[in-house]
Amino acid sequence: LMTSCKNQCLKAAPRLVDKATRECGQAGSGESAWVALKDFARCSDAHLLAIAGAVWEHLGAPHSQARWQALELCARLWPRSAAFRHALMRDIPTFVQLVCAIAPAASAGRAAAARGGLPPPEHWAKQLHRRGVELIERWHASHGHLPEYRQLDLARRRVCTSAASASASLDDGPQAQRWAEQWQQLRDGGAEASLAEAAAAVEQLGTCVQIMAPVMDEADGADEAAAAASGARGGARGEAAAAAAGQAAAAAGEAAAAARRPRQGGATGEEIA
């Protein structure tokens, strides 16, 4: 019986979330629905999980205004409930896709995918995208340093790197479509031609290398012979200079020895006196 009563109580979550989201989009509507939702959430974590499930349903609505209202409810619940934060973090990539329309990293044509990812009307899609980027950055600043919120870092990087292209796509859809078509044409028609040109260039380069290789070998041989001859001439000049220096040194030695020997003959009278 208690389980049945609890299940009946949890079934009230979608109705309360629906009222609270509509209240977020109406200026001056008061906060009675928000107060009722907070009272319901305080009952238990199971009640919060039921709220999170209902919020996910509104985030996937086929209308950007309904998604924006659900996003505003997330902005209120995030700082107040760890259980709600954990429920949202279990599938943060889907959350980013639903509110920011950030295409997967491996997808080509990211801007076009972003435009197609948000439902009409367009002016609400722009507001939803801007608000989603703002909240991801705010949540990363407040909780991104905690281990259980590390996925916010990846979400923030994807949002920051894709925000410019997504906004450009929303503001100028025809131009983005033209760029996508031109890129596809380049990929389809220019790839084979570019490969053929590259192959021809490589073949020409190989021919040039084959022609130049013998000439370069002969030039290297001539340089080696010239270097050897120059070395031989240098060696001969060195030997001749060394011989001349030796002869000069020998002559100088003989002259010095002759100067030291006593002169032959008798002494004069002056020397005896």
Side-chain angles (χ1 to χ4, degrees), residues 21 55 57-74 97-101 117-119 128:
T21 53
V55 170
E57 293 295 327
H58 283 264
L59 288 172
H63 195 287
S64 283
Q65 183 180 8
R67 293 191 185 188
W68 179 85
Q69 292 170 338
L71 184 62
E72 289 299 321
L73 191 59
C74 291
Q97 179 69 28
L98 290 175
V99 302
C100 299
L118 292 180
L128 175 63

Side-chain angles (χ1 to χ4, degrees), residues 88-97 136 139 151-152 155:
L88 209 59
M89 288 298 302
R90 290 191 184 100
D91 199 3
I92 195 68
T94 300
F95 175 84
V96 173
Q97 179 69 28
I136 289 294
W139 295 346
Q151 290 189 61
L152 283 174

Side-chain angles (χ1 to χ4, degrees), residues 124-142:
W124 277 109
K126 292 180 181 180
Q127 293 189 40
L128 175 63
H129 176 80
R130 285 194 293 266
R131 184 59 168 159
V133 172
E134 177 187 346
L135 287 179
I136 289 294
E137 292 181 346
R138 181 186 300 178
W139 295 346
H140 177 268
S142 62

